[in-house]
Amino acid sequence: FVLQKKQQQVSTLIADGTVNNMSELIMKRRSMGQDEFHFRLYICASLPMLCAAVLHEELYTGFYHFFLVPGSIPEIEEGRIEGTEWTLSRKWVVMFLYCSTGVLGSSCAGAITKRFGALSMSITTTARKAATLFLSFAFFPNNCTREHLLGVAVFMAALIMKSLGKAQLQKQQSQQQQQQQQQLQLQQQRHMDKKDSFLDSQEKVRSNKHRRCSPCVR
């Protein structure tokens, strides 16, 4: 069971990385906005999930327990719905906030992917998860294990390597731009020198012609 769970986690991470990189390529090649891309993606994902929920007879049960009956799932199963904190209005408000913030977060993540790339979006989402983890340690009695510390170390090392690589890349780009500007200035200077030499030669030819023609006029 543990091996199967780890395989599922690895496959989930691979699928997440694949979707991020493919979304960047699709939005850039098709000149597609992040909202349109997510709309098409969610439509294509929602239809199979809807069919699966209908086939397993879970669509009506989930809708009934969440929207038509107050209380949480354990409270509904145990028949303790009287005096529950999860009223129908609270469930609707939570669902609305969850959907609206989810759409906003997906749009922001898609905008980061389209403008800065999939790697920047992955770093942003990982930083968000790390901040959530730190807040959970600060406000809730959670234990910090070696795996958490190892994950923090890996994330910080990757973030530092990304920052150093980006700084080096910007330095190389600035050097290339300076070299291109210098070459352009040299070409312009050579062009001006050629133009000045051409004008000088034309002036000399005109002066020689004027000297030759002056005795004839006399």
Side-chain angles (χ1 to χ4, degrees):
F1 177 75
V2 176
L3 181 61
Q4 185 179 3
K5 187 175 181 180
K6 289 184 178 180
Q7 290 177 353
Q8 291 177 355
Q9 291 176 354
V10 171
S11 61
T12 302
L13 292 174
I14 293 174
D16 187 27
T18 304
V19 169
N20 291 335
N21 289 285
M22 290 299 296
S23 61
E24 179 184 0
L25 293 175
I26 291 172
M27 285 190 290
K28 287 184 178 180
R29 290 182 179 178
R30 302 293 182 180
S31 299
M32 185 183 299
Q34 68 271 10
D35 294 330
E36 181 182 359
F37 173 77
H38 283 108
F39 176 76
R40 294 175 182 269
L41 181 65
Y42 292 158
I43 288 295
C44 295
S46 298
L47 293 177
M49 292 177 63
L50 179 63
C51 295
V54 171
L55 291 175
H56 288 83
E57 298 180 355
E58 295 179 353
L59 181 63
Y60 175 76
T61 304
F63 186 84
Y64 176 78
H65 285 163
F66 195 89
F67 293 107
L68 301 180
V69 179
S72 61
I73 296 297
E75 291 175 347
I76 294 173
E77 292 178 352
E78 296 175 2
R80 297 183 291 105
I81 61 176
E82 294 183 0
T84 180
E85 296 180 355
W86 290 99
T87 60
L88 292 178
S89 59
R90 185 175 183 180
K91 286 185 176 182
W92 280 98
V93 170
V94 169
M95 178 58 71
F96 174 77
L97 292 176
Y98 179 79
C99 294
S100 59
T101 53
V103 171
L104 179 61
S106 299
S107 179
C108 294
I112 293 173
T113 303
K114 184 178 180 180
R115 185 172 181 180
F116 301 103
L119 181 60
S120 299
M121 195 276 293
S122 299
I123 293 174
T124 304
T125 54
T126 306
R128 177 189 61 80
K129 294 174 184 178
T132 305
L133 185 63
F134 293 150
L135 291 175
S136 68
F137 288 145
F139 294 101
F140 300 99
N142 295 326
N143 295 325
C144 183
T145 61
R146 296 179 180 177
E147 287 79 6
H148 291 105
L149 296 176
L150 179 61
V152 171
V154 171
F155 171 71
M156 293 303 296
L159 187 61
I160 292 171
M161 292 176 63
K162 169 67 176 177
S163 301
L164 294 176
K166 187 175 181 180
Q168 186 177 3
L169 181 61
Q170 290 179 352
K171 184 177 180 180
Q172 292 178 356
Q173 290 178 352
S174 63
Q175 289 178 356
Q176 291 178 358
Q177 290 178 357
Q178 289 179 359
Q179 291 178 358
Q180 291 177 356
Q181 289 179 358
Q182 290 177 358
Q183 291 179 359
L184 183 61
Q185 289 178 358
L186 288 174
Q187 290 178 358
Q188 291 178 353
Q189 186 65 33
R190 290 175 183 176
H191 180 71
M192 292 298 295
D193 294 340
K194 290 181 179 179
K195 186 176 180 180
D196 292 339
S197 61
F198 177 76
L199 292 176
D200 292 339
S201 62
Q202 291 291 327
E203 186 66 26
K204 289 180 180 180
V205 170
R206 290 177 182 176
S207 62
N208 291 331
K209 285 183 179 180
H210 181 69
R211 291 175 181 177
R212 292 177 183 177
C213 295
S214 57
C216 297
V217 173
R218 291 177 182 176

